[in-house]
Amino acid sequence: DIQMTQSPSSLSASVGDRVTITCRASQGISKYLAWYQQKPGKVPKLLIYAASVLQSGVPSRFSGSGFGTDFTLTISSLQPEDFATYYCQKYNSAPITFGQGTRLEIK
Amino acid sequence: EVQLLESGGGLVQPGGSLRLSCAASRFSFSNYAMSWVRQAPGKGLEWVSAISHSGGTTLYADSVKGRFTISRDNSKNTMYLHMNSLRAEDTAVYYCAKVLDGSYPINVFEYWGQGTLVTVSS
């Protein structure tokens, strides 16, 4: 099965910072990569799919890129509401797998 | 807005069984594939199972294959997860999730229910 590895596992940043989270697939998955945001006690929220397509209603400070095995989620200017855990998910074929998560904390 | 309401969670002994339900509303349930995703306390997300829009295709994670069965009743707008031979490591919040588009079960998840907690313990 294809493994998804996120880095870093945790990250401290300040409001206004530019932040990048990386997700690496153990084999190529084309563009079939999604990103989710999960706040404590809340359900995951879809941010980006097809590696770079912004889900409706998601602020434009979020962006995604990548193809094949290497993908990134970038937040251009962190806002207080962005502090959360972020997960990547591959969906090119079964089984669906998620990365282990990246916890974004306030510095 | 799409609504997904899970039920059926609870405390069960190792080796026991449970049936989870996911009642869907405010979208054309029969047109969309659905999935179950779980999250153990303090841990990350783990996909469990998926079902196509018609129910004709079902898929499972290796960790539950042979123990869990996913099904759906489109006349009732409801999806189910039958869980047998439960283990301590199955303890988690179980979410039902609607795919973003289409009937193919391997997909991204646009909407999630609030989840139902399953605790496997003696």
Side-chain angles (χ1 to χ4, degrees):
Chain A
D1 293 348
I2 297 174
Q3 306 303 313
M4 305 302 293
T5 304
Q6 289 181 232
S7 60
S9 296
S10 64
L11 174 61
S12 293
S14 300
V15 173
D17 284 354
R18 179 183 180 91
V19 167
T20 297
I21 298 169
T22 297
C23 180
R24 175 164 290 175
S26 60
Q27 298 175 40
I29 59 170
S30 184
K31 64 178 182 178
Y32 298 102
L33 191 283
W35 290 96
Y36 298 85
Q37 175 194 67
Q38 187 179 31
K39 297 180 181 180
K42 302 296 185 180
V43 303
K45 174 186 176 182
L46 176 64
L47 299 175
I48 287 168
Y49 61 96
S52 62
V53 179
L54 200 64
Q55 170 66 346
S56 175
V58 174
S60 59
R61 63 181 179 273
F62 291 91
S63 64
S65 65
F67 186 90
T69 59
D70 295 308
F71 302 86
T72 59
L73 171 70
T74 299
I75 309 172
S76 60
S77 179
L78 273 173
Q79 298 302 301
E81 60 267 30
D82 299 337
F83 292 93
T85 299
Y86 293 84
Y87 295 94
C88 63
Q89 175 219 336
K90 72 96 173 169
Y91 59 102
N92 63 312
S93 64
I96 288 169
T97 52
F98 292 89
Q100 81 279 14
T102 295
R103 184 174 179 181
L104 179 53
E105 300 174 319
I106 300 173
K107 185 183 286 185
Chain B
E1 168 123 336
V2 165
Q3 287 194 340
L4 300 169
L5 184 61
E6 302 94 338
S7 60
L11 175 63
V12 61
Q13 291 188 338
S17 299
L18 274 180
R19 187 187 78 164
L20 305 183
S21 299
C22 172
S25 59
R26 302 184 183 177
F27 69 101
S28 298
F29 181 72
S30 61
N31 289 341
Y32 290 89
M34 299 286 293
S35 264
W36 290 98
V37 179
R38 68 185 180 183
Q39 187 168 34
K43 302 297 184 182
L45 302 170
E46 180 188 15
W47 172 74
V48 173
S49 184
I51 189 166
S52 64
H53 69 109
S54 66
T57 297
T58 57
L59 299 160
Y60 299 93
D62 285 345
S63 58
V64 306
K65 200 172 293 182
R67 300 188 298 123
F68 290 11
T69 301
I70 192 171
S71 62
R72 65 191 295 161
D73 185 339
N74 285 344
S75 69
K76 296 182 178 179
N77 288 349
T78 302
M79 176 177 67
Y80 304 98
L81 186 68
H82 300 256
M83 304 186 295
N84 296 322
S85 303
L86 283 161
R87 307 165 179 168
E89 55 265 36
D90 295 318
T91 295
V93 173
Y94 285 72
Y95 298 103
C96 68
K98 170 191 172 291
V99 303
L100 175 63
D101 57 16
S103 61
Y104 188 61
I106 302 303
N107 212 312
V108 298
F109 306 123
E110 181 184 20
Y111 288 100
W112 301 62
Q114 290 302 307
T116 186
L117 177 62
V118 172
T119 303
V120 184
S121 175
S122 55

